[in-house]
Amino acid sequence: MLEVAPNVFVAPRMNKGVRERTWSVVSDWHGQEPRGSLVMVWRDLNEVGGVGLAHLGTPPRELVEMDGMWLTRRSKPASAL
């Protein structure tokens, strides 16, 4: 996988089994030390834009499909509500 930005990993040719095992390991690590965030991106022709996405951590973001592409929407902090 390429780390294209801090904790943003891209794997266009990683098979599903390896990707799921890798995600299981990093999810476990994040569960033990839940700081920061992690994003994994892979080729998935059945998903919006042909890209599969998974993410963990903060700041909290919601993935939203709009006009055939993924956008991220951040939640407002409780203090801003």
Side-chain angles (χ1 to χ4, degrees):
M1 291 187 299
L2 298 174
E3 187 174 11
V4 296
N7 294 321
V8 177
F9 298 90
V10 178
R13 292 191 176 95
M14 182 182 287
N15 73 47
K16 183 179 179 181
V18 172
R19 184 177 63 249
E20 288 176 350
R21 287 189 300 275
T22 301
W23 191 253
S24 175
V25 169
V26 297
S27 295
D28 184 51
W29 290 346
H30 189 269
Q32 293 177 31
E33 188 63 44
R35 294 183 303 174
S37 61
L38 177 81
V39 177
M40 184 185 285
V41 181
W42 64 93
R43 182 177 185 208
D44 187 339
L45 299 178
N46 296 317
E47 290 293 333
V48 174
V51 176
L53 297 168
H55 61 94
L56 286 171
T58 56
R61 301 194 191 279
E62 179 183 2
L63 298 174
V64 180
E65 183 272 327
M66 184 173 288
D67 295 330
M69 66 180 167
W70 288 110
L71 301 174
T72 59
R73 179 174 30 207
R74 283 193 275 176
S75 300
K76 288 186 178 183
S79 61
L81 297 177

